[in-house]
Every structure is written in C-alpha cells, then in structure tokens.
Amino acid sequence: MPDNNVVPPEETTSLEAAEAALDRLATKLAAPPLATQIRRLLPKIEQALEAGATYAQVLETLRECGIEMPMTTFRSTLHRARLKRDREEGR
C-alpha cells in the first residue's frame, strides 16, 4: 500500500527552494537601512578607497555581499555618512 504522506523528491526540492527564497527575502527586509549599513562599513570603504579601489569596485563588492544600490545612491549615502562622522568627531 503506498504511503500518502510521502512527498515526491521533486516537490521537496521546490519546497526547499521556496523556503530558502523566503528566508532570503525575510533577511533582506530585516536588513538595516542602507544609510546605517554604509555608516557601519565607512571605515572599511575608506580603507579600500585609500588603497586605490574605485567607487565602482567598492560598489560591486557591496553588491556581491547583497547590498544593492545604484551608484548615485551609494555616492550620496557615502557623502552623508562622512558628514555625520565628521560632525560626531567635531571636525
């Protein structure tokens, strides 16, 4: 007698894929705002730029890590993060 509770392997794969996709979505939605992420990463971004990296290279690295934004947003967010840092440091 066949077991009606057994899920065929192809459905399990689809289910697992859906679970993983929903986990990624939840993680992405729970991520801090871009400005917060850039402020946190500012020392490392500055370090990469001082070492000779271009803005495009830094942005591509961020994209590879799941931090997506257009170049204009990156540059303006970076500018605001620098201003905030400077104000907090009393510059």
Side-chain angles (χ1 to χ4, degrees), residues 42-64:
L42 185 59
K44 297 293 185 181
I45 292 170
E46 296 281 11
Q47 183 180 14
L49 293 170
E50 288 172 12
T54 65
Y55 285 92
Q57 290 171 318
V58 172
L59 183 56
E60 182 57 31
T61 300
L62 295 175
R63 286 179 177 150
E64 290 169 359

Side-chain angles (χ1 to χ4, degrees), residues 8-82:
E10 62 275 0
E11 289 183 31
T12 302
T13 303
S14 297
L15 180 59
E16 290 171 351
E19 286 176 333
L22 290 170
D23 285 344
R24 286 191 304 275
L25 175 61
T27 299
K28 183 178 180 179
L29 293 175
L34 286 176
T36 302
Q37 294 178 56
I38 295 299
R39 281 195 305 272
R40 180 176 171 183
L41 295 169
L42 185 59
K44 297 293 185 181
I45 292 170
E46 296 281 11
Q47 183 180 14
L49 293 170
E50 288 172 12
T54 65
Y55 285 92
Q57 290 171 318
V58 172
L59 183 56
E60 182 57 31
T61 300
L62 295 175
R63 286 179 177 150
E64 290 169 359
C65 297
I67 301 173
E68 293 281 340
M69 69 190 94
M71 177 61 79
T72 55
T73 302
F74 173 61
R75 291 183 73 98
S76 65
T77 305
L78 183 60
H79 175 73
R80 286 192 304 275
R82 287 171 170 158

